[in-house]
Amino acid sequence: MSAKLIKGTDIREEILEEVTKEVAELKEKTGKVPGLVTILVGENPASVSYVTLKIKTAHRVGFTEIQDNQSPDISEEDLLALIDKYNNDDTINGILVQLPLPKHIDDKKILNAIDPDKDVDGFHPVNVGRLMIGGDEVKFAPCTPAGIQEMIVRAGVETSGAEVVVVGRSNIVGKPIANMMVQKGPGANSTVTIVHTRTKDLAAHCKRADILIVAAGVPGLVKPEWIKPGACVIDVGVNRVGTKISEKTGKEVAVLRGDVDFDAAKEIAGSITPVPGGVGPMTITMLMVNTLKSFKFANGLM
Ligand code: NAP
């Protein structure tokens, strides 16, 4: 039997509509809207396209969006001063610095200079610590893991008592999602295992998973026989495995593949995310959710 598809594209629409509605209500109530600034240093084409998508989405939900483009020659000192300016600007609730930064700038220093209460990416050590503590301490969960948890919950998958296996231990996906699923609270309360390249028997761990979250960056790593029948499979992997000509635009586009052998896995899993169109669209969506949260914290509404 074919698994239920958990489509990030559909969940994105649901969430963005909810955010748009709430922003309109808050505007009515407070006369203000959330503000998001995106700082882009240089013109790396991939960064430009991410930033453009973030801005478009922020406009769509009714935020004030500032795209602050800086020359690739900006000094570290000037970039720190720019962050300080936005840290002290009450109309700005979220500050994003698009990575990668030029080599002469220490990205850690820059990211750590962002006010943790405006760190809507959730990567500041203060927010990482808050996430570890859990409960009311959490302000911003990092966007991709937050998107994964939201997909699991909205798909109606039971997390309490579930065996969750996370493949990958990166700071941006594996470790935070594992930490989130083990917390006490709704959408969590799971028993979590993290596996990685030094794990002895990857297949045996995956086979136990009621919820299998794969973020390894290895196309087709997870074989269908590693999947427990009926499991929820979240494939975070986005791997370029070639190019093709788009039917829509006639232009050459990347062929993307996940970390799971999707065609075979969907015959065994209970629910599964596709690639593309699964976890991918959730990251920017949750950035909007975090910026709205930040606005509510700043205005004593949360
Ligand atoms: P990463 O930093 O490269 O981490 C990959 C993790 O997977 C590492 O912990 C690594 O183990 C583990 N791993 C790699 N190969 C493995 C194998 N053969 N067996 C077991 N474990 C293995 O990657 P990431 O940043 O977390 O991203 C993972 C994937 O998710 C990538 O495809 C990325 O493009 C995608 N991604 C998607 C989104 C999105 O859709 N919005 C966001 C972020 C990432 P070791 O630690 O032992 O090396």
Side-chain angles (χ1 to χ4, degrees):
M1 211 178 81
S2 229
K4 171 184 166 185
L5 264 192
I6 309 176
K7 289 190 186 167
T9 41
D10 290 353
I11 298 174
R12 169 183 61 194
E13 293 309 305
E14 267 174 47
I15 296 176
L16 291 182
E17 270 175 36
E18 290 163 16
V19 173
T20 308
K21 189 166 169 271
E22 198 172 349
V23 170
E25 286 165 4
L26 288 170
K27 189 176 179 183
E28 187 89 8
K29 192 167 161 186
T30 65
K32 297 188 278 189
V33 296
L36 178 68
V37 62
T38 316
I39 301 171
L40 176 64
V41 180
E43 288 174 356
N44 173 323
S47 298
V48 171
S49 96
Y50 286 137
V51 166
T52 308
L53 197 54
K54 286 171 187 170
I55 289 165
K56 263 173 89 176
T57 312
H59 278 157
R60 172 181 164 182
V61 298
F63 293 172
T64 303
E65 223 288 341
I66 301 173
Q67 182 181 347
D68 193 329
N69 289 340
Q70 294 292 327
S71 143
D73 302 326
I74 188 171
S75 68
E76 191 175 274
E77 199 186 356
D78 287 349
L79 191 54
L80 287 168
L82 188 67
I83 288 170
D84 193 49
K85 181 185 97 170
Y86 289 122
N87 279 343
N88 291 299
D89 181 340
D90 290 343
T91 67
I92 295 298
N93 305 103
I95 303 172
L96 275 184
V97 178
Q98 187 65 47
L99 298 180
L101 290 170
K103 287 205 167 63
H104 66 278
I105 297 177
D106 177 353
D107 22 336
K108 222 185 210 172
K109 205 165 166 186
I110 298 298
L111 296 182
N112 289 354
I114 298 173
D115 178 347
D117 290 348
K118 297 189 179 188
D119 166 46
V120 286
D121 258 341
F123 292 140
H124 192 288
V126 168
N127 285 318
V128 176
R130 287 169 171 166
L131 193 77
M132 184 69 163
I133 297 168
D136 291 347
E137 284 292 327
V138 181
K139 282 212 157 177
F140 313 116
C143 300
T144 302
I148 294 169
Q149 190 178 38
E150 196 67 36
M151 293 180 101
I152 296 170
V153 170
R154 288 188 187 232
V157 175
E158 180 59 82
T159 60
S160 182
E163 289 282 342
V164 171
V165 175
V166 179
V167 183
R169 54 176 165 182
S170 72
N171 288 329
I172 63 165
V173 188
K175 278 194 267 185
I177 188 60
N179 180 46
M180 288 161 74
M181 298 308 293
V182 82
Q183 297 292 346
K184 203 167 198 166
N189 281 326
S190 307
T191 304
V192 180
T193 306
I194 307 182
V195 296
H196 45 76
T197 55
R198 306 296 168 93
T199 298
K200 281 185 185 144
D201 190 347
L202 201 59
H205 287 287
C206 292
K207 278 181 196 170
R208 282 192 294 105
D210 300 311
I211 302 174
L212 180 61
I213 302 170
V214 192
V218 180
L221 172 70
V222 171
K223 310 289 175 268
E225 59 273 22
W226 297 7
I227 295 169
K228 182 174 173 180
C232 169
V233 179
I234 306 288
D235 189 353
V236 191
V238 180
N239 307 292
R240 285 166 192 261
V241 292
T243 57
K244 63 175 182 186
I245 302 298
S246 159
E247 281 177 22
K248 257 193 203 162
T249 62
K251 288 184 185 164
E252 193 176 77
V253 291
V255 176
L256 301 178
R257 208 174 148 208
D259 289 350
V260 177
D261 177 352
F262 178 82
D263 287 334
K266 76 176 191 324
E267 301 305 321
I268 301 162
S271 52
I272 188 166
T273 59
V275 177
V279 176
M282 296 300 293
T283 302
I284 292 182
T285 304
M286 299 314 288
L287 182 67
M288 303 301 134
V289 171
N290 277 351
T291 306
L292 174 59
K293 258 188 175 176
S294 177
F295 175 85
K296 292 202 283 185
F297 284 129
N299 288 279
L301 301 165
M302 215 170 163

